[in-house]
Amino acid sequence: MDARRRAILAAALRARLADVDARPETGAAPRALPAPEPHADAEEALRRLMVSVVPRLAAGEADMEELRRLLAVVATAARPDDLRFLDAFHRVYELGAQGLPRGALPAAFHQAYRRLLAAALEELDG
Amino acid sequence: MPQTAPARTVMKPIWIALTDDWELRGDGGGDVAALQHRPALALMELYAGCGIPATFCVETLQQLAFERFADADPGLARGRDLWRETVARMAAGGFDVALHLHPQWLHAAHENGFWRLDRRWNLADYDDEEIEDAFARSLAYLRDVCRLPAPAAFRAGSWGACCPSGTILRCLRRHGIRIDVSVVNGLHFWGENVALDYRNLASPYRPYYPDADDIRRPAAAPGDVVEVPTQSIPLSGAQRLEVLAAKALRLLGRKLAGTLGRGAAAPRPGSPAAPRAVAAGLTAATTRSDHIIDLSRIDEVGQRLFDRLLDRVIDRALRQDRPPAFLVFENHTKCLLSPGHFRRIENALRHIRARHGDVVAFVTLREMADNLDRIRPALAH
């Protein structure tokens, strides 16, 4: 990865990390997303999250329980080197910042997101 | 199971809008089912499978012409109905719809089973009333018949938005259309039906506020409309040789298949002669200086070279000033007539994701329009 690309990505991650750190949910008492169901398929969870749940979230119609359940699976499978999973968290976070009712996204989501951002930044800086 | 693509995210410095000009042939030829309905469904399926949003630039004057004559011709009625059904599917599938106008349909007549269209293919060649009428009636149709939200973007048919551009730009402003994607650096035609010159633009690849009278020039002050050039890239000498080689291979393949010489259908008896501008280069995506990033013409340069051109376009955007960089790519469903076309498009998208997934987000033109405050369109110096 060339230096300019790395710098652009690192700057974006740092800015987002600062934004997430500033949210009260992130600093709340540690919470965990629900444990994923055994044999949960991370690819299917990701597909369902992005193709079905997120658009409904954007329209204000999502089932928050289903969202939490899918996020739990996605968070478990997320790796810093697989952008699709991190991007799913980006998207949900941005929707939360745009129009969901305050507190609609659980503290566990913000805390999981923070961990992913920090890991991605570490991967980039490493 | 197709893998889910990375979602649109403001974290990405490169925003790519995949656009598709959805229309029949410029001379009115072709069948809605074959050139529009089926390939659009296949394209939507491809994009949905990849989780990629896209924008269909829906040519609406054609549909208004179909509406005028549908009562007298069952074939036209079927085409009209299929057009409506396909647009409904676009909306239901979450795809963005932009406005696309080919003005030759404005005064179309249907005689003896053929369309007789105007010989002027550049919207700028029509008078103010005609241009305003084209916008007003098309947008009313999309709103009242198709129940679509007002388009956020526009592309002129045959890229013809100049010159002069004043009335076109005023119409965009009046109707709340915030983005124009009619300009592509390097394109130039001098034919019976279209004459325009987009060579050597002051802002060839980056968004700019267009001058009130000449859409090719940046304005001195910000305005309500932003020009986001459709992406093109110069070919090196070696790459031009590659293109020629790819063309020679295609010709050889067609000769071996026995189809050489049967590519272009001769005008049928009683049909209007095909405009000479078609031969003049409207079908050519490669101009003398720049190659248009058109997903329907990957075979003109070959998959490998096209992927390298994509790399250069994205790397060029990364070198620009602050992100996000807005990149618009072109496509024509009427040219997607074989499984190979779709395979090549999918390969190109996989290539972008594999090589540039860390920096690229796929968005719609509407999302670009909703985020114009994130960019600094160029102004005249």
Side-chain angles (χ1 to χ4, degrees), chain A residues 1 4-5 8-9 12-13 16 44 46-47 50 83-84 87 90-91 94, chain B residues 1 4 6-13 315 318 320 355-358:
Chain A
M1 185 184 296
R4 177 170 172 81
R5 185 176 287 214
I8 287 172
L9 291 174
L13 283 169
R16 178 55 57 86
E44 173 58 18
L46 183 61
R47 191 196 70 80
M50 299 314 300
L83 294 169
R84 298 172 304 137
D87 280 350
H90 288 328
R91 185 70 175 120
E94 286 150 18
Chain B
M1 171 76 68
T4 308
R8 178 201 73 80
T9 166
V10 295
M11 297 289 290
K12 301 297 178 71
D315 289 340
L318 279 174
Q320 294 173 18
R355 286 288 300 268
H356 307 285
D358 52 351

PDB file of all heavy atoms in Angstrom, chain A residues 1 4-5 8-9 12-13 16 44 46-47 50 83-84 87 90-91 94, chain B residues 1 4 6-13 315 318 320 355-358:
ATOM      1  N   MET A   1       0.850  -1.184   0.000  1.00  0.00           N
ATOM      2  CA  MET A   1       0.000   0.000   0.000  1.00  0.00           C
ATOM      3  C   MET A   1       0.888   1.237   0.000  1.00  0.00           C
ATOM      4  O   MET A   1       1.828   1.332   0.809  1.00  0.00           O
ATOM      5  CB  MET A   1      -0.896   0.010   1.252  1.00  0.00           C
ATOM      6  CG  MET A   1      -1.892   1.165   1.253  1.00  0.00           C
ATOM      7  SD  MET A   1      -2.861   1.249   2.775  1.00  0.00           S
ATOM      8  CE  MET A   1      -3.766  -0.271   2.712  1.00  0.00           C
ATOM      9  N   ARG A   4       0.592   7.438   0.520  1.00  0.00           N
ATOM     10  CA  ARG A   4      -0.543   8.372   0.502  1.00  0.00           C
ATOM     11  C   ARG A   4      -1.830   7.646   0.844  1.00  0.00           C
ATOM     12  O   ARG A   4      -2.648   8.128   1.629  1.00  0.00           O
ATOM     13  CB  ARG A   4      -0.659   9.049  -0.857  1.00  0.00           C
ATOM     14  CG  ARG A   4      -1.876   9.969  -0.913  1.00  0.00           C
ATOM     15  CD  ARG A   4      -1.920  10.846  -2.142  1.00  0.00           C
ATOM     16  NE  ARG A   4      -3.177  11.557  -2.228  1.00  0.00           N
ATOM     17  CZ  ARG A   4      -3.465  12.674  -1.562  1.00  0.00           C
ATOM     18  NH1 ARG A   4      -2.575  13.222  -0.764  1.00  0.00           N
ATOM     19  NH2 ARG A   4      -4.646  13.247  -1.680  1.00  0.00           N
ATOM     20  N   ARG A   5      -2.008   6.468   0.269  1.00  0.00           N
ATOM     21  CA  ARG A   5      -3.228   5.701   0.542  1.00  0.00           C
ATOM     22  C   ARG A   5      -3.298   5.351   2.014  1.00  0.00           C
ATOM     23  O   ARG A   5      -4.342   5.470   2.657  1.00  0.00           O
ATOM     24  CB  ARG A   5      -3.246   4.441  -0.317  1.00  0.00           C
ATOM     25  CG  ARG A   5      -4.512   3.640  -0.210  1.00  0.00           C
ATOM     26  CD  ARG A   5      -4.489   2.471  -1.154  1.00  0.00           C
ATOM     27  NE  ARG A   5      -4.668   2.884  -2.537  1.00  0.00           N
ATOM     28  CZ  ARG A   5      -5.305   2.166  -3.456  1.00  0.00           C
ATOM     29  NH1 ARG A   5      -5.816   1.015  -3.135  1.00  0.00           N
ATOM     30  NH2 ARG A   5      -5.412   2.590  -4.688  1.00  0.00           N
ATOM     31  N   ILE A   8      -4.266   8.406   4.023  1.00  0.00           N
ATOM     32  CA  ILE A   8      -5.680   8.769   3.885  1.00  0.00           C
ATOM     33  C   ILE A   8      -6.535   7.858   4.747  1.00  0.00           C
ATOM     34  O   ILE A   8      -7.433   8.300   5.482  1.00  0.00           O
ATOM     35  CB  ILE A   8      -6.110   8.676   2.409  1.00  0.00           C
ATOM     36  CG1 ILE A   8      -5.514   9.825   1.594  1.00  0.00           C
ATOM     37  CG2 ILE A   8      -7.636   8.700   2.281  1.00  0.00           C
ATOM     38  CD1 ILE A   8      -5.722   9.696   0.093  1.00  0.00           C
ATOM     39  N   LEU A   9      -6.274   6.563   4.673  1.00  0.00           N
ATOM     40  CA  LEU A   9      -7.076   5.608   5.435  1.00  0.00           C
ATOM     41  C   LEU A   9      -6.871   5.783   6.930  1.00  0.00           C
ATOM     42  O   LEU A   9      -7.823   5.737   7.720  1.00  0.00           O
ATOM     43  CB  LEU A   9      -6.710   4.178   5.021  1.00  0.00           C
ATOM     44  CG  LEU A   9      -7.139   3.798   3.613  1.00  0.00           C
ATOM     45  CD1 LEU A   9      -6.599   2.423   3.252  1.00  0.00           C
ATOM     46  CD2 LEU A   9      -8.646   3.816   3.482  1.00  0.00           C
ATOM     47  N   ALA A  12      -8.758   8.749   8.206  1.00  0.00           N
ATOM     48  CA  ALA A  12     -10.202   8.494   8.308  1.00  0.00           C
ATOM     49  C   ALA A  12     -10.502   7.641   9.536  1.00  0.00           C
ATOM     50  O   ALA A  12     -11.468   7.894  10.275  1.00  0.00           O
ATOM     51  CB  ALA A  12     -10.699   7.816   7.037  1.00  0.00           C
ATOM     52  N   LEU A  13      -9.687   6.621   9.757  1.00  0.00           N
ATOM     53  CA  LEU A  13      -9.921   5.739  10.908  1.00  0.00           C
ATOM     54  C   LEU A  13      -9.742   6.496  12.218  1.00  0.00           C
ATOM     55  O   LEU A  13     -10.527   6.312  13.164  1.00  0.00           O
ATOM     56  CB  LEU A  13      -8.963   4.542  10.857  1.00  0.00           C
ATOM     57  CG  LEU A  13      -9.322   3.448   9.854  1.00  0.00           C
ATOM     58  CD1 LEU A  13      -8.167   2.464   9.703  1.00  0.00           C
ATOM     59  CD2 LEU A  13     -10.587   2.712  10.259  1.00  0.00           C
ATOM     60  N   ARG A  16     -12.702   8.755  12.809  1.00  0.00           N
ATOM     61  CA  ARG A  16     -13.878   7.972  13.215  1.00  0.00           C
ATOM     62  C   ARG A  16     -13.707   7.465  14.634  1.00  0.00           C
ATOM     63  O   ARG A  16     -14.650   7.462  15.427  1.00  0.00           O
ATOM     64  CB  ARG A  16     -14.106   6.828  12.233  1.00  0.00           C
ATOM     65  CG  ARG A  16     -15.273   5.910  12.558  1.00  0.00           C
ATOM     66  CD  ARG A  16     -16.611   6.633  12.740  1.00  0.00           C
ATOM     67  NE  ARG A  16     -17.025   7.428  11.631  1.00  0.00           N
ATOM     68  CZ  ARG A  16     -17.697   6.980  10.573  1.00  0.00           C
ATOM     69  NH1 ARG A  16     -17.996   5.702  10.485  1.00  0.00           N
ATOM     70  NH2 ARG A  16     -18.075   7.800   9.619  1.00  0.00           N
ATOM     71  N   GLU A  44     -23.761 -15.176   5.706  1.00  0.00           N
ATOM     72  CA  GLU A  44     -25.202 -14.969   5.545  1.00  0.00           C
ATOM     73  C   GLU A  44     -25.656 -13.817   6.434  1.00  0.00           C
ATOM     74  O   GLU A  44     -26.503 -13.014   6.052  1.00  0.00           O
ATOM     75  CB  GLU A  44     -25.957 -16.253   5.887  1.00  0.00           C
ATOM     76  CG  GLU A  44     -27.475 -16.131   5.921  1.00  0.00           C
ATOM     77  CD  GLU A  44     -28.067 -15.653   4.599  1.00  0.00           C
ATOM     78  OE1 GLU A  44     -27.378 -15.737   3.550  1.00  0.00           O
ATOM     79  OE2 GLU A  44     -29.218 -15.160   4.613  1.00  0.00           O
ATOM     80  N   LEU A  46     -23.896 -11.257   7.320  1.00  0.00           N
ATOM     81  CA  LEU A  46     -23.448 -10.019   6.688  1.00  0.00           C
ATOM     82  C   LEU A  46     -24.349  -9.648   5.521  1.00  0.00           C
ATOM     83  O   LEU A  46     -24.762  -8.492   5.374  1.00  0.00           O
ATOM     84  CB  LEU A  46     -22.000 -10.184   6.216  1.00  0.00           C
ATOM     85  CG  LEU A  46     -21.343  -8.965   5.605  1.00  0.00           C
ATOM     86  CD1 LEU A  46     -21.269  -7.817   6.599  1.00  0.00           C
ATOM     87  CD2 LEU A  46     -19.940  -9.309   5.113  1.00  0.00           C
ATOM     88  N   ARG A  47     -24.674 -10.663   4.712  1.00  0.00           N
ATOM     89  CA  ARG A  47     -25.538 -10.384   3.556  1.00  0.00           C
ATOM     90  C   ARG A  47     -26.898  -9.872   4.013  1.00  0.00           C
ATOM     91  O   ARG A  47     -27.412  -8.873   3.506  1.00  0.00           O
ATOM     92  CB  ARG A  47     -25.708 -11.651   2.715  1.00  0.00           C
ATOM     93  CG  ARG A  47     -26.362 -11.433   1.352  1.00  0.00           C
ATOM     94  CD  ARG A  47     -26.837 -12.746   0.750  1.00  0.00           C
ATOM     95  NE  ARG A  47     -27.973 -13.293   1.476  1.00  0.00           N
ATOM     96  CZ  ARG A  47     -29.224 -12.874   1.322  1.00  0.00           C
ATOM     97  NH1 ARG A  47     -29.510 -11.911   0.462  1.00  0.00           N
ATOM     98  NH2 ARG A  47     -30.199 -13.427   2.001  1.00  0.00           N
ATOM     99  N   MET A  50     -26.673  -6.272   5.391  1.00  0.00           N
ATOM    100  CA  MET A  50     -26.461  -5.172   4.454  1.00  0.00           C
ATOM    101  C   MET A  50     -27.561  -5.075   3.410  1.00  0.00           C
ATOM    102  O   MET A  50     -27.895  -3.992   2.952  1.00  0.00           O
ATOM    103  CB  MET A  50     -25.099  -5.323   3.769  1.00  0.00           C
ATOM    104  CG  MET A  50     -23.923  -5.290   4.736  1.00  0.00           C
ATOM    105  SD  MET A  50     -24.041  -3.947   5.947  1.00  0.00           S
ATOM    106  CE  MET A  50     -24.061  -2.527   4.883  1.00  0.00           C
ATOM    107  N   LEU A  83     -12.450  -6.080   4.945  1.00  0.00           N
ATOM    108  CA  LEU A  83     -13.116  -4.786   5.057  1.00  0.00           C
ATOM    109  C   LEU A  83     -14.630  -4.875   5.076  1.00  0.00           C
ATOM    110  O   LEU A  83     -15.295  -3.974   5.560  1.00  0.00           O
ATOM    111  CB  LEU A  83     -12.679  -3.893   3.890  1.00  0.00           C
ATOM    112  CG  LEU A  83     -11.209  -3.506   3.924  1.00  0.00           C
ATOM    113  CD1 LEU A  83     -10.822  -2.871   2.598  1.00  0.00           C
ATOM    114  CD2 LEU A  83     -10.932  -2.553   5.069  1.00  0.00           C
ATOM    115  N   ARG A  84     -15.161  -5.958   4.544  1.00  0.00           N
ATOM    116  CA  ARG A  84     -16.623  -6.023   4.443  1.00  0.00           C
ATOM    117  C   ARG A  84     -17.261  -5.959   5.809  1.00  0.00           C
ATOM    118  O   ARG A  84     -18.313  -5.336   5.999  1.00  0.00           O
ATOM    119  CB  ARG A  84     -17.046  -7.297   3.721  1.00  0.00           C
ATOM    120  CG  ARG A  84     -16.543  -7.378   2.286  1.00  0.00           C
ATOM    121  CD  ARG A  84     -16.814  -8.738   1.692  1.00  0.00           C
ATOM    122  NE  ARG A  84     -16.232  -9.783   2.514  1.00  0.00           N
ATOM    123  CZ  ARG A  84     -16.846 -10.926   2.814  1.00  0.00           C
ATOM    124  NH1 ARG A  84     -18.057 -11.173   2.371  1.00  0.00           N
ATOM    125  NH2 ARG A  84     -16.251 -11.817   3.564  1.00  0.00           N
ATOM    126  N   ASP A  87     -16.845  -2.503   7.254  1.00  0.00           N
ATOM    127  CA  ASP A  87     -17.722  -1.583   6.529  1.00  0.00           C
ATOM    128  C   ASP A  87     -19.167  -1.701   7.001  1.00  0.00           C
ATOM    129  O   ASP A  87     -19.917  -0.723   6.998  1.00  0.00           O
ATOM    130  CB  ASP A  87     -17.641  -1.850   5.019  1.00  0.00           C
ATOM    131  CG  ASP A  87     -16.400  -1.227   4.407  1.00  0.00           C
ATOM    132  OD1 ASP A  87     -15.732  -0.441   5.110  1.00  0.00           O
ATOM    133  OD2 ASP A  87     -16.091  -1.525   3.244  1.00  0.00           O
ATOM    134  N   HIS A  90     -19.303   0.421   9.927  1.00  0.00           N
ATOM    135  CA  HIS A  90     -19.305   1.833   9.505  1.00  0.00           C
ATOM    136  C   HIS A  90     -20.722   2.259   9.142  1.00  0.00           C
ATOM    137  O   HIS A  90     -21.213   3.313   9.557  1.00  0.00           O
ATOM    138  CB  HIS A  90     -18.447   2.029   8.251  1.00  0.00           C
ATOM    139  CG  HIS A  90     -16.962   1.926   8.452  1.00  0.00           C
ATOM    140  ND1 HIS A  90     -16.326   2.296   9.605  1.00  0.00           N
ATOM    141  CD2 HIS A  90     -15.995   1.485   7.602  1.00  0.00           C
ATOM    142  CE1 HIS A  90     -15.018   2.085   9.466  1.00  0.00           C
ATOM    143  NE2 HIS A  90     -14.782   1.611   8.273  1.00  0.00           N
ATOM    144  N   ARG A  91     -21.366   1.438   8.336  1.00  0.00           N
ATOM    145  CA  ARG A  91     -22.671   1.819   7.780  1.00  0.00           C
ATOM    146  C   ARG A  91     -23.707   1.949   8.880  1.00  0.00           C
ATOM    147  O   ARG A  91     -24.472   2.914   8.920  1.00  0.00           O
ATOM    148  CB  ARG A  91     -23.105   0.764   6.758  1.00  0.00           C
ATOM    149  CG  ARG A  91     -24.381   1.111   6.026  1.00  0.00           C
ATOM    150  CD  ARG A  91     -24.173   2.267   5.078  1.00  0.00           C
ATOM    151  NE  ARG A  91     -25.369   2.534   4.291  1.00  0.00           N
ATOM    152  CZ  ARG A  91     -26.036   3.675   4.300  1.00  0.00           C
ATOM    153  NH1 ARG A  91     -25.614   4.678   5.037  1.00  0.00           N
ATOM    154  NH2 ARG A  91     -27.100   3.833   3.564  1.00  0.00           N
ATOM    155  N   GLU A  94     -23.072   5.058  10.893  1.00  0.00           N
ATOM    156  CA  GLU A  94     -23.455   6.295  10.207  1.00  0.00           C
ATOM    157  C   GLU A  94     -24.964   6.478  10.208  1.00  0.00           C
ATOM    158  O   GLU A  94     -25.476   7.579  10.366  1.00  0.00           O
ATOM    159  CB  GLU A  94     -22.915   6.281   8.764  1.00  0.00           C
ATOM    160  CG  GLU A  94     -21.417   6.508   8.713  1.00  0.00           C
ATOM    161  CD  GLU A  94     -20.749   5.823   7.537  1.00  0.00           C
ATOM    162  OE1 GLU A  94     -21.443   5.455   6.571  1.00  0.00           O
ATOM    163  OE2 GLU A  94     -19.515   5.660   7.589  1.00  0.00           O
TER     164      GLU A  94
ATOM    165  N   MET B   1     -23.109 -18.525  -3.036  1.00  0.00           N
ATOM    166  CA  MET B   1     -23.707 -17.327  -2.416  1.00  0.00           C
ATOM    167  C   MET B   1     -22.800 -16.155  -2.710  1.00  0.00           C
ATOM    168  O   MET B   1     -21.629 -16.148  -2.342  1.00  0.00           O
ATOM    169  CB  MET B   1     -23.815 -17.550  -0.902  1.00  0.00           C
ATOM    170  CG  MET B   1     -24.216 -16.295  -0.114  1.00  0.00           C
ATOM    171  SD  MET B   1     -25.959 -15.908  -0.263  1.00  0.00           S
ATOM    172  CE  MET B   1     -26.684 -17.270   0.626  1.00  0.00           C
ATOM    173  N   THR B   4     -21.117 -10.437   0.092  1.00  0.00           N
ATOM    174  CA  THR B   4     -21.627  -9.084   0.270  1.00  0.00           C
ATOM    175  C   THR B   4     -20.501  -8.088   0.080  1.00  0.00           C
ATOM    176  O   THR B   4     -19.425  -8.248   0.622  1.00  0.00           O
ATOM    177  CB  THR B   4     -22.207  -8.921   1.675  1.00  0.00           C
ATOM    178  OG1 THR B   4     -23.124  -9.983   1.888  1.00  0.00           O
ATOM    179  CG2 THR B   4     -22.926  -7.605   1.814  1.00  0.00           C
ATOM    180  N   PRO B   6     -18.527  -4.419   0.365  1.00  0.00           N
ATOM    181  CA  PRO B   6     -18.443  -3.359   1.368  1.00  0.00           C
ATOM    182  C   PRO B   6     -19.540  -2.331   1.138  1.00  0.00           C
ATOM    183  O   PRO B   6     -19.864  -1.996   0.017  1.00  0.00           O
ATOM    184  CB  PRO B   6     -17.068  -2.731   1.104  1.00  0.00           C
ATOM    185  CG  PRO B   6     -16.294  -3.773   0.422  1.00  0.00           C
ATOM    186  CD  PRO B   6     -17.271  -4.564  -0.373  1.00  0.00           C
ATOM    187  N   ALA B   7     -20.112  -1.840   2.189  1.00  0.00           N
ATOM    188  CA  ALA B   7     -21.199  -0.873   2.069  1.00  0.00           C
ATOM    189  C   ALA B   7     -20.637   0.495   1.764  1.00  0.00           C
ATOM    190  O   ALA B   7     -19.460   0.784   1.967  1.00  0.00           O
ATOM    191  CB  ALA B   7     -21.981  -0.832   3.370  1.00  0.00           C
ATOM    192  N   ARG B   8     -21.519   1.355   1.279  1.00  0.00           N
ATOM    193  CA  ARG B   8     -21.142   2.754   1.133  1.00  0.00           C
ATOM    194  C   ARG B   8     -20.765   3.278   2.504  1.00  0.00           C
ATOM    195  O   ARG B   8     -21.406   2.996   3.481  1.00  0.00           O
ATOM    196  CB  ARG B   8     -22.322   3.560   0.588  1.00  0.00           C
ATOM    197  CG  ARG B   8     -22.006   5.031   0.447  1.00  0.00           C
ATOM    198  CD  ARG B   8     -23.269   5.856   0.419  1.00  0.00           C
ATOM    199  NE  ARG B   8     -23.891   5.929   1.723  1.00  0.00           N
ATOM    200  CZ  ARG B   8     -23.490   6.752   2.675  1.00  0.00           C
ATOM    201  NH1 ARG B   8     -22.461   7.538   2.494  1.00  0.00           N
ATOM    202  NH2 ARG B   8     -24.109   6.774   3.832  1.00  0.00           N
ATOM    203  N   THR B   9     -19.725   4.015   2.599  1.00  0.00           N
ATOM    204  CA  THR B   9     -19.343   4.552   3.885  1.00  0.00           C
ATOM    205  C   THR B   9     -18.599   5.844   3.670  1.00  0.00           C
ATOM    206  O   THR B   9     -17.804   5.975   2.736  1.00  0.00           O
ATOM    207  CB  THR B   9     -18.475   3.559   4.680  1.00  0.00           C
ATOM    208  OG1 THR B   9     -17.866   4.244   5.755  1.00  0.00           O
ATOM    209  CG2 THR B   9     -17.389   2.965   3.811  1.00  0.00           C
ATOM    210  N   VAL B  10     -18.814   6.774   4.571  1.00  0.00           N
ATOM    211  CA  VAL B  10     -18.125   8.040   4.454  1.00  0.00           C
ATOM    212  C   VAL B  10     -16.652   7.878   4.799  1.00  0.00           C
ATOM    213  O   VAL B  10     -15.894   8.823   4.696  1.00  0.00           O
ATOM    214  CB  VAL B  10     -18.761   9.118   5.352  1.00  0.00           C
ATOM    215  CG1 VAL B  10     -20.167   9.418   4.898  1.00  0.00           C
ATOM    216  CG2 VAL B  10     -18.768   8.686   6.795  1.00  0.00           C
ATOM    217  N   MET B  11     -16.233   6.682   5.213  1.00  0.00           N
ATOM    218  CA  MET B  11     -14.848   6.449   5.531  1.00  0.00           C
ATOM    219  C   MET B  11     -13.989   6.288   4.284  1.00  0.00           C
ATOM    220  O   MET B  11     -12.779   6.273   4.364  1.00  0.00           O
ATOM    221  CB  MET B  11     -14.711   5.163   6.361  1.00  0.00           C
ATOM    222  CG  MET B  11     -15.413   5.231   7.696  1.00  0.00           C
ATOM    223  SD  MET B  11     -14.569   6.339   8.814  1.00  0.00           S
ATOM    224  CE  MET B  11     -13.093   5.382   9.112  1.00  0.00           C
ATOM    225  N   LYS B  12     -14.611   6.142   3.129  1.00  0.00           N
ATOM    226  CA  LYS B  12     -13.836   5.851   1.935  1.00  0.00           C
ATOM    227  C   LYS B  12     -13.556   7.131   1.147  1.00  0.00           C
ATOM    228  O   LYS B  12     -14.452   7.930   0.923  1.00  0.00           O
ATOM    229  CB  LYS B  12     -14.606   4.859   1.036  1.00  0.00           C
ATOM    230  CG  LYS B  12     -14.908   3.539   1.724  1.00  0.00           C
ATOM    231  CD  LYS B  12     -13.656   2.790   2.087  1.00  0.00           C
ATOM    232  CE  LYS B  12     -13.935   1.488   2.830  1.00  0.00           C
ATOM    233  NZ  LYS B  12     -14.517   0.463   1.974  1.00  0.00           N
ATOM    234  N   PRO B  13     -12.325   7.335   0.693  1.00  0.00           N
ATOM    235  CA  PRO B  13     -12.001   8.568  -0.015  1.00  0.00           C
ATOM    236  C   PRO B  13     -12.439   8.587  -1.483  1.00  0.00           C
ATOM    237  O   PRO B  13     -12.431   9.650  -2.089  1.00  0.00           O
ATOM    238  CB  PRO B  13     -10.474   8.636   0.075  1.00  0.00           C
ATOM    239  CG  PRO B  13     -10.039   7.225   0.246  1.00  0.00           C
ATOM    240  CD  PRO B  13     -11.110   6.544   1.018  1.00  0.00           C
ATOM    241  N   ASP B 315      -6.199   5.675  -8.823  1.00  0.00           N
ATOM    242  CA  ASP B 315      -4.956   6.263  -8.307  1.00  0.00           C
ATOM    243  C   ASP B 315      -4.888   7.751  -8.601  1.00  0.00           C
ATOM    244  O   ASP B 315      -4.403   8.538  -7.779  1.00  0.00           O
ATOM    245  CB  ASP B 315      -3.740   5.558  -8.920  1.00  0.00           C
ATOM    246  CG  ASP B 315      -3.565   4.147  -8.379  1.00  0.00           C
ATOM    247  OD1 ASP B 315      -4.122   3.850  -7.303  1.00  0.00           O
ATOM    248  OD2 ASP B 315      -2.869   3.342  -9.031  1.00  0.00           O
ATOM    249  N   LEU B 318      -6.947   9.503  -6.048  1.00  0.00           N
ATOM    250  CA  LEU B 318      -6.317   9.514  -4.719  1.00  0.00           C
ATOM    251  C   LEU B 318      -5.266  10.613  -4.603  1.00  0.00           C
ATOM    252  O   LEU B 318      -4.965  11.083  -3.502  1.00  0.00           O
ATOM    253  CB  LEU B 318      -5.678   8.163  -4.426  1.00  0.00           C
ATOM    254  CG  LEU B 318      -6.609   7.055  -3.931  1.00  0.00           C
ATOM    255  CD1 LEU B 318      -5.847   5.743  -3.839  1.00  0.00           C
ATOM    256  CD2 LEU B 318      -7.219   7.402  -2.584  1.00  0.00           C
ATOM    257  N   GLN B 320      -5.573  13.517  -5.824  1.00  0.00           N
ATOM    258  CA  GLN B 320      -6.219  14.831  -5.841  1.00  0.00           C
ATOM    259  C   GLN B 320      -6.299  15.385  -4.434  1.00  0.00           C
ATOM    260  O   GLN B 320      -5.812  14.803  -3.488  1.00  0.00           O
ATOM    261  CB  GLN B 320      -7.630  14.696  -6.415  1.00  0.00           C
ATOM    262  CG  GLN B 320      -7.660  14.289  -7.860  1.00  0.00           C
ATOM    263  CD  GLN B 320      -9.055  14.002  -8.339  1.00  0.00           C
ATOM    264  OE1 GLN B 320     -10.043  14.403  -7.730  1.00  0.00           O
ATOM    265  NE2 GLN B 320      -9.168  13.304  -9.444  1.00  0.00           N
ATOM    266  N   ARG B 355      -8.590  -4.805  -5.400  1.00  0.00           N
ATOM    267  CA  ARG B 355      -7.416  -3.914  -5.388  1.00  0.00           C
ATOM    268  C   ARG B 355      -7.659  -2.640  -4.603  1.00  0.00           C
ATOM    269  O   ARG B 355      -6.718  -2.047  -4.076  1.00  0.00           O
ATOM    270  CB  ARG B 355      -7.061  -3.521  -6.833  1.00  0.00           C
ATOM    271  CG  ARG B 355      -6.409  -4.621  -7.648  1.00  0.00           C
ATOM    272  CD  ARG B 355      -4.982  -4.855  -7.187  1.00  0.00           C
ATOM    273  NE  ARG B 355      -4.167  -3.666  -7.334  1.00  0.00           N
ATOM    274  CZ  ARG B 355      -3.431  -3.384  -8.413  1.00  0.00           C
ATOM    275  NH1 ARG B 355      -3.409  -4.206  -9.431  1.00  0.00           N
ATOM    276  NH2 ARG B 355      -2.706  -2.286  -8.446  1.00  0.00           N
ATOM    277  N   HIS B 356      -8.918  -2.195  -4.555  1.00  0.00           N
ATOM    278  CA  HIS B 356      -9.169  -0.856  -4.017  1.00  0.00           C
ATOM    279  C   HIS B 356     -10.306  -0.836  -3.005  1.00  0.00           C
ATOM    280  O   HIS B 356     -10.831   0.221  -2.694  1.00  0.00           O
ATOM    281  CB  HIS B 356      -9.519   0.105  -5.170  1.00  0.00           C
ATOM    282  CG  HIS B 356      -8.518   0.112  -6.271  1.00  0.00           C
ATOM    283  ND1 HIS B 356      -7.280   0.725  -6.167  1.00  0.00           N
ATOM    284  CD2 HIS B 356      -8.558  -0.439  -7.502  1.00  0.00           C
ATOM    285  CE1 HIS B 356      -6.619   0.546  -7.299  1.00  0.00           C
ATOM    286  NE2 HIS B 356      -7.351  -0.150  -8.131  1.00  0.00           N
ATOM    287  N   GLY B 357     -10.672  -1.992  -2.494  1.00  0.00           N
ATOM    288  CA  GLY B 357     -11.786  -2.055  -1.559  1.00  0.00           C
ATOM    289  C   GLY B 357     -11.574  -1.220  -0.312  1.00  0.00           C
ATOM    290  O   GLY B 357     -12.522  -0.808   0.340  1.00  0.00           O
ATOM    291  N   ASP B 358     -10.299  -0.953   0.009  1.00  0.00           N
ATOM    292  CA  ASP B 358     -10.022  -0.159   1.203  1.00  0.00           C
ATOM    293  C   ASP B 358     -10.319   1.323   0.996  1.00  0.00           C
ATOM    294  O   ASP B 358     -10.489   2.066   1.963  1.00  0.00           O
ATOM    295  CB  ASP B 358      -8.565  -0.341   1.647  1.00  0.00           C
ATOM    296  CG  ASP B 358      -7.572  -0.108   0.513  1.00  0.00           C
ATOM    297  OD1 ASP B 358      -8.003   0.029  -0.656  1.00  0.00           O
ATOM    298  OD2 ASP B 358      -6.362  -0.057   0.784  1.00  0.00           O
TER     299      ASP B 358
END
